[in-house]
């Protein structure tokens, strides 16, 4: 029987988390440690300026007054007595593709698991709420089984996005695309006439690359991307070294 840790960034009461638990329950023991409130767009934040309170709600169900990354950290360090066979974060209300991945608390929880060498998946769903998370059930369970049985490449998580279209027409293996939001800041006035700003909304400028997560989702396919933690642009190394000649600063690179 497998032990699977689940978390999310939408909070412990999110229907996507409930659907995830139901999808994975046939595989073994599912342990939930999730934030007590919505932490969407919290990225990989770790709470270091106050203590965290873990509350047991039920057998193998805990909530934490912290971030998704806090949840994974405390689950792996304190709640579980050994590393789980799999970590799954989601099912997020909304896609996590392209540049948005860097904001994502859902993906960041999977990043945290990957940093501890736990096979980790992030699962998100596009579309207008209320989302029918149950339609991801069979696919999520099948993916989880494959990842548990065969593992993932080192330092790599599986980022799964389901399209808004309820009829799943297929899976595409993709790379991270671009998804830049135009006019993402809205200016509004409060009842006293003061100006405030809302970040979010606007129109996404979509990526045109054929093999991207953005394109796959836009065409109604399930997108599965291998995401790794190495943020280095390896092509940039030769540019910094040879074109900008940065190693010639401060007396050269003789120590290399
Ligand atoms: Mn979210």
């Amino acid at each position: 029987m497998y032990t699977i840790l689940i978390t999310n960034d939408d909070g412990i009461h999110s229907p996507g988390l409930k659907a995830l638990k139901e999808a994975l329950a046939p595989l073994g023991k599912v342990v939930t440690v999730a934030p007590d409130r919505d932490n969407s767009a919290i990225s990989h934040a770790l709470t270091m300026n106050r203590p965290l309170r873990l509350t047991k709600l039920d057998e193998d169900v805990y909530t934490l007054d912290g971030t998704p990354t806090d949840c994974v950290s405390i689950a792996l360090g304190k709640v579980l007595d050994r590393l789980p066979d799999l970590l799954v974060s989601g099912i997020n209300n909304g896609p996590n593709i392209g540049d948005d991945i860097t904001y994502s608390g859902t993906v960041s929880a999977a990043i945290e698991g990957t940093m501890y060498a736990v096979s980790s998946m992030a699962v998100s769903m596009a579309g207008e709420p209320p989302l029918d998370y149950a339609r991801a059930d069979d696919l999520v369970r099948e993916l989880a089984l494959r990842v548990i049985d065969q593992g993932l490449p080192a330092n790599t998580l599986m980022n799964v996005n389901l399209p808004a279209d309820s009829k799943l027409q297929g899976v595409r293996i993709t790379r991270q695309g671009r998804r830049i939001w135009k006019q993402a800041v809205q200016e509004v006035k409060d009842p006293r006439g003061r100006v405030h700003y809302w970040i979010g909304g606007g129109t996404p400028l979509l990526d045109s690359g054929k093999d991207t997560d953005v394109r796959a989702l836009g065409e109604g396919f399930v997108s599965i991307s291998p995401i790794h933690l190495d943020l280095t642009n390896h092509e940039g190394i030769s540019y910094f070294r040879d074109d900008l000649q940065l190693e010639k600063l401060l007396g050269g690179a003789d120590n290399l």
Side-chain angles (χ1 to χ4, degrees):
M1 190 170 92
Y2 300 121
T3 298
I4 301 173
L5 173 64
I6 65 169
T7 189
N8 73 351
D9 75 359
D10 293 337
I12 188 74
H13 301 298
S14 148
L17 184 69
K18 182 168 178 277
L20 182 62
K21 184 179 177 181
E22 285 166 8
L24 297 174
L27 304 184
K29 183 165 99 155
V30 178
V31 178
T32 305
V33 182
D36 64 353
R37 65 196 74 181
D38 187 7
N39 273 258
S40 294
I42 200 84
S43 194
H44 199 198
L46 198 58
T47 302
M48 302 186 77
N49 55 0
R50 62 174 175 82
L52 294 163
R53 185 185 296 270
L54 184 73
T55 305
K56 184 172 184 176
L57 299 177
D58 204 341
E59 193 63 30
D60 295 327
V61 180
Y62 302 84
T63 187
L64 186 79
D65 58 347
T67 68
T69 298
D70 295 332
C71 289
V72 173
S73 184
I74 285 173
L76 298 182
K78 294 292 175 189
V79 176
L80 299 169
D81 49 17
R82 65 169 181 86
L83 287 181
D85 299 293
L86 180 71
L87 181 157
V88 188
S89 177
I91 299 171
N92 189 59
N93 173 13
N96 278 304
I97 52 177
D99 298 291
D100 289 354
I101 288 176
T102 61
Y103 301 116
S104 170
T106 306
V107 175
S108 294
I111 287 176
E112 189 69 6
T114 306
M115 287 168 68
Y116 286 96
V118 175
S119 294
S120 299
M121 301 166 50
V123 183
S124 308
M125 187 179 282
E128 294 298 321
L131 298 179
D132 175 19
Y133 293 104
R135 69 189 169 87
D137 197 87
D138 290 343
L139 180 68
V140 166
R141 191 168 43 254
E142 181 60 35
L143 291 172
L145 258 183
R146 289 190 189 205
V147 171
I148 290 171
D149 284 349
Q150 301 184 46
L152 289 169
N155 304 313
T156 301
L157 66 95
M158 178 184 279
N159 188 33
V160 182
N161 280 274
L162 286 100
D165 192 344
S166 60
K167 191 171 136 288
L168 299 179
Q169 55 179 310
V171 170
R172 280 191 191 158
I173 305 305
T174 57
R175 65 178 172 89
Q176 182 184 358
R178 303 298 314 277
R179 191 171 191 251
I180 302 163
W181 293 85
K182 191 180 179 187
Q183 295 168 338
V185 179
Q186 311 289 325
E187 188 175 306
V188 295
K189 286 186 177 167
D190 75 3
R192 295 176 186 82
R194 293 175 300 199
V195 171
H196 294 269
Y197 300 99
W198 276 107
I199 293 177
T203 311
L205 302 173
L206 297 182
D207 189 275
S208 58
K210 281 195 169 65
D211 54 351
T212 65
D213 49 6
V214 178
R215 173 70 78 95
L217 219 57
E219 293 181 353
F221 285 81
V222 176
S223 166
I224 302 182
S225 306
I227 300 291
H228 68 65
L229 309 188
D230 180 1
L231 298 180
T232 313
N233 174 4
H234 290 271
E235 292 172 10
I237 291 199
S238 63
Y239 178 75
F240 281 8
R241 183 172 286 152
D242 304 331
D243 294 67
L244 297 183
Q245 307 233 339
L246 298 183
E247 287 177 334
K248 290 208 162 61
L249 295 170
L250 302 175
D254 295 341
N255 55 341
L256 283 182

